[in-house]
Amino acid sequence: MRSARYLMIAALPLFALGACASLSDEDRATLNAAAENAKAAKDEAAQANSTAQQALQAAQAAQSAANNAAQQAAQAEADAKAANEKADRMFQKSLRKK
């Protein structure tokens, strides 16, 4: 009787461990669904990251184009100012000749 009692005490944790180690079909299905959802979320995040990178590149290209346009506008303004000053000098010179 005593040995049976010790055997039960020793076997009880082993049975409990075995019960915890095995998963039911429902638990496995839940884990598989969670893994699939996690993979889908990871794929969506990668796609969103790719889209964000493309948007960043487009924004950088637009910024570069805007900077170039601003430089060209500044150069055109300087050229127009120089041409206007030259025209004024020519006009003043023609007035002095009379």
Side-chain angles (χ1 to χ4, degrees):
M1 173 116 168
R2 201 173 210 186
S3 63
R5 189 172 175 189
Y6 287 124
L7 184 60
M8 286 280 283
I9 291 173
L12 186 60
L14 294 175
F15 287 124
L17 183 61
C20 292
S22 65
L23 297 174
S24 70
D25 290 339
E26 185 179 321
D27 291 339
R28 288 174 203 233
T30 302
L31 288 175
N32 287 337
E36 288 174 10
N37 288 343
K39 184 181 182 319
K42 182 180 175 183
D43 292 344
E44 287 180 25
Q47 185 177 3
N49 186 36
S50 175
T51 302
Q53 290 294 330
Q54 290 172 352
L56 176 62
Q57 289 172 351
Q60 288 172 339
Q63 180 67 44
S64 178
N67 289 343
N68 288 341
Q71 288 175 346
Q72 290 175 354
Q75 184 61 45
E77 180 185 13
D79 292 346
K81 185 175 178 182
N84 191 30
E85 289 172 356
K86 184 175 180 180
D88 280 347
R89 284 192 305 271
M90 290 172 64
F91 180 72
Q92 291 298 327
K93 188 175 181 181
S94 71
L95 289 178
R96 280 186 241 132
K97 285 186 178 181
K98 290 185 180 180

